[in-house]
């Protein structure tokens, strides 16, 4: 079985500023679903500026949830972070 190819996008600063509330709502909801604490060390718009998300995850969320674009982008960002954190290779690489 072939591994699904992933394509990534980043959030532009202007988009993050204009859609801060919905990005936060999507991000926090995704973490709550996984029973993870949600919080931001930076101003949320700074956190989301330049954040990457998987285009395929985003499209699936838009079809499934039917929520706003920003909400689904926030959710996809959280999903990508959780995927990154759960990978043992990434966790070990972060130690060095």
């Amino acid at each position: 079985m072939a591994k699904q190819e992933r394509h990534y996008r980043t959030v532009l600063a202007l988009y993050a500023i204009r859609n801060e509330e919905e990005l936060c709502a999507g991000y926090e909801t995704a973490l709550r679903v996984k029973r993870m604490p949600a919080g931001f060390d930076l101003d949320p718009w700074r956190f989301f500026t330049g954040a990457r998300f998987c285009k395929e995850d985003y499209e699936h969320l838009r079809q499934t949830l039917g929520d706003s674009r920003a909400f689904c982008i926030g959710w996809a960002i959280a999903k990508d972070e959780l995927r990154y954190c759960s990978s043992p290779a990434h966790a070990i690489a972060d130690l060095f």
Side-chain angles (χ1 to χ4, degrees):
M1 183 152 110
K3 188 174 183 180
Q4 181 185 14
E5 188 173 341
R6 295 186 176 280
H7 300 89
Y8 288 89
R9 303 288 186 260
T10 56
V11 178
L12 300 175
L14 186 58
Y15 188 82
I17 291 168
R18 288 183 177 169
N19 297 285
E20 181 179 324
E21 285 184 32
E22 288 187 75
L23 287 166
C24 288
Y27 182 85
E28 291 171 344
T29 300
L31 292 180
R32 268 196 311 268
V33 166
K34 295 292 186 178
R35 296 191 168 102
M36 303 286 290
F40 300 96
D41 294 336
L42 303 169
D43 290 329
W45 71 269
R46 289 183 194 268
F47 175 83
F48 288 110
T49 298
R52 71 182 212 144
F53 62 95
C54 175
K55 180 183 169 209
E56 289 77 18
D57 288 346
Y58 160 75
E59 290 171 351
H60 175 74
L61 289 164
R62 282 283 286 179
Q63 290 175 353
T64 305
L65 301 175
D67 277 309
S68 74
R69 182 174 186 243
F71 182 90
C72 292
I73 288 173
W75 189 304
I77 290 169
K79 187 173 182 176
D80 195 60
E81 285 183 357
L82 291 170
R83 181 182 299 114
Y84 178 82
C85 291
S86 67
S87 169
H90 288 133
I92 291 170
D94 287 343
L95 293 174
F96 299 100

